Amino acid sequence: MGLILDLKTDEVIVDHTSKEHLHTTEKGNPVLSRLGPMQVHSVFRRLKASGKNRRNRSAKQIGDNCPLIYALKGSENLWVSRHSIKQLNTYIPLIISTICDALEGDVDCIVLIPSRHPLAKMLASRLGKAIGIPVHEHIFRKATFFEASTRVRALLGNKANIIGAGVSPDDEKRLRRIVKVGMQQAAAPYSAKDIGTSLRQHFDPLKFRGGASPLGAEDRVLFVDDLLATGETLLAAHDLLYGPGEQTSSRAATWFSKV
């Protein structure tokens, strides 16, 4: 019910008998987790690295111990065969059906979290068709690094704010380094990939496309993303739509759960 990472060929192999990386069958799936005011439904449960893999230093833990998402995106030289994708798809309809049963009647529309890759869009399309609700693909856009770092640059400009925010000296150094490098390409889309998970809370990854949302606070939205890691992007989407700190209950769906 998991994955095998072939370090010689960089292939990610779906093997339902494996106990590494991921639950790939209906057993243990889907996963329901809480993220602030959100209930997050994930198709596949990610697993912590086994003791064997943790001891194997040559087995680099890619993508929070989820190499499959990197293989599907064609990143880190990882790849996955059509046969493995077919194996993975064996249980997806059943798992998604379970998620839809839990969501039906509680959501009015789907809002897609922007990505360069179509994984989240594929999940949104499946859920939208199954539940019979529209999918909004262009509510949000990725913030540029300049936009995403506005808050952290203001923070770093005031020592009292740094202390008040509880930022450690080591994290302050890391943030200053991230900002210095990022501002060299300030107009490029913000990416959390190279930012430590504990530091992502200081950045704002999304903006409304066109400056405003066509949705209102009365709309019951299902946010869809590909992976749940820290959840900062989903929380940013919630705050943009409902207001910063607003505890309006909402739902989200991802392919892969938190570890």
Side-chain angles (χ1 to χ4, degrees):
M1 59 178 181
L3 307 174
I4 295 173
L5 176 56
D6 188 329
L7 296 174
K8 293 182 179 179
T9 64
D10 292 327
E11 181 182 5
V12 178
I13 303 165
V14 175
D15 184 340
H16 297 313
T17 66
S18 172
K19 296 182 180 180
E20 299 288 348
H21 303 292
L22 203 68
H23 278 284
T24 54
T25 71
E26 84 283 7
K27 294 180 180 179
N29 293 317
V31 183
L32 179 62
S33 53
R34 193 79 194 181
L35 179 67
M38 281 186 174
Q39 287 186 345
V40 184
H41 302 259
S42 299
V43 177
F44 296 115
R45 182 186 300 274
R46 290 195 292 155
L47 303 173
K48 291 183 179 179
S50 66
K52 177 183 176 181
N53 273 356
R54 286 196 299 269
R55 290 190 296 271
N56 183 5
R57 295 184 179 181
S58 65
K60 184 172 66 170
Q61 300 306 317
I62 299 172
D64 288 332
N65 199 38
C66 186
L68 180 61
I69 193 168
Y70 277 66
L72 290 169
K73 291 182 175 182
S75 301
E76 301 288 342
N77 295 318
L78 297 180
W79 62 283
V80 59
S81 70
R82 289 187 178 183
H83 174 73
S84 278
I85 292 174
K86 186 176 180 179
Q87 289 288 102
L88 189 69
N89 197 52
T90 301
Y91 298 97
I92 287 177
L94 177 59
I95 299 169
I96 286 183
S97 177
T98 302
I99 292 175
C100 290
D101 287 344
L103 291 171
E104 195 163 6
D106 289 337
V107 291
D108 303 316
C109 63
I110 292 173
V111 170
L112 189 64
I113 301 299
S115 173
R116 290 181 298 136
H117 305 281
L119 287 176
K121 184 177 179 180
M122 291 166 60
L123 178 58
S125 177
R126 287 194 181 210
L127 292 169
K129 287 179 181 178
I131 302 173
I133 56 175
V135 177
H136 299 288
E137 296 183 30
H138 305 296
I139 301 295
F140 299 116
R141 62 173 175 83
K142 282 192 171 186
T144 64
F145 184 86
F146 181 84
E147 292 169 330
S149 63
T150 298
R151 195 159 45 86
V152 71
R153 284 184 284 112
L155 174 70
L156 294 174
N158 188 309
K159 193 67 177 178
N161 288 345
I162 295 172
I163 296 171
V167 177
S168 70
D170 285 344
D171 280 351
E172 180 187 349
K173 289 179 183 177
R174 294 187 185 99
L175 286 170
R176 291 190 184 280
R177 185 161 51 249
I178 290 167
V179 169
K180 181 179 180 180
V181 172
M183 288 300 287
Q184 293 173 10
Q185 293 184 306
Y190 166 79
S191 173
K193 179 181 176 182
D194 299 318
I195 297 176
T197 54
S198 65
L199 302 178
R200 294 176 189 175
Q201 62 182 303
H202 300 291
F203 295 84
D204 300 308
L206 299 176
K207 291 289 185 181
F208 280 127
R209 188 181 296 274
S213 169
L215 302 177
E218 71 282 357
D219 289 298
R220 299 177 300 171
V221 169
L222 173 67
F223 300 100
V224 174
D225 204 355
D226 49 20
L227 172 74
L228 178 60
T230 63
E232 295 298 334
T233 304
L234 286 172
L235 288 173
H238 178 278
D239 285 352
L240 277 173
L241 193 60
Y242 295 112
E246 176 59 48
Q247 293 301 301
T248 300
S249 179
S250 62
R251 301 289 191 98
T254 65
W255 281 115
F256 304 105
S257 74
K258 293 185 73 171
V259 175

